[in-house]
Amino acid sequence: MRTLVNGLIAGAVGTSALNAVTYLDMLIRARGASSTPNDAVQKMADDVHVNLGEGERADNRREAVGALLGFGTGAGAGLCYAAAAHERPVPWPVGMLALGTLAMLGSNVPLAALGVTDPREWSLSGWVSDVVPHLVFGAAAYAAYERLD
């Protein structure tokens, strides 16, 4: 049980770091937030015939659910890593890359499956905006997991 709790905590730390880097990128480049999470929430709601409301209420619900799904992705990556790394030493580059990859796959595979995005069409800037925060997620989550373990 302790291993899973440590994985959840590591996932939360990684998610906080990913969010901080993403907001820093938005600040530096003066770019807006991605609409992808909101688009995915709308697509899922449409697919299961859930009405999110109208206007601002629907916008707020999409934004909230999108953020919560991001926290869930981070928690899931931390849990998967904890289950796989339990009782084995994992060198930091491997652990960091594993956690970053788990988080990146956990967010991008469902988005691509929903048809909300297609990574094959991303520009270099789009890839950098996705890879860098996920590497930071991996580094922060790995450090937290190792500290807790």
Side-chain angles (χ1 to χ4, degrees):
M1 182 65 158
R2 180 175 180 201
T3 299
L4 296 180
V5 170
N6 288 353
L8 284 173
I9 293 169
V13 169
T15 301
S16 294
L18 180 145
N19 287 340
V21 168
T22 299
Y23 287 120
L24 184 60
D25 176 45
M26 291 167 62
L27 172 67
I28 290 168
R29 295 193 302 157
R31 70 171 181 87
S34 172
S35 65
T36 306
N38 295 3
D39 296 343
V41 170
Q42 187 62 59
K43 176 84 168 83
M44 289 185 289
D46 291 345
D47 287 351
V48 296
H49 308 290
V50 170
N51 184 351
L52 297 174
E54 299 297 323
E56 188 176 342
R57 292 174 62 94
D59 293 342
N60 293 340
R61 286 187 175 124
R62 279 190 293 274
E63 190 171 333
V65 173
L68 290 169
L69 289 172
F71 286 112
T73 299
L79 284 171
C80 289
Y81 179 82
H86 180 62
E87 296 187 18
R88 342 186 153 110
V90 178
W92 76 266
V94 173
M96 178 191 77
L97 288 172
L99 279 155
T101 301
L102 284 167
M104 193 165 168
L105 290 173
S107 62
N108 291 331
V109 168
L111 293 172
L114 286 168
V116 174
T117 188
D118 185 349
R120 296 172 297 183
E121 297 175 1
W122 292 357
S123 66
L124 177 60
S125 173
W127 273 103
V128 170
S129 294
D130 197 60
V131 170
V132 170
H134 284 102
L135 288 176
V136 170
F137 172 95
Y142 179 82
Y145 185 80
E146 288 299 309
R147 177 75 178 135
L148 292 166
D149 199 36

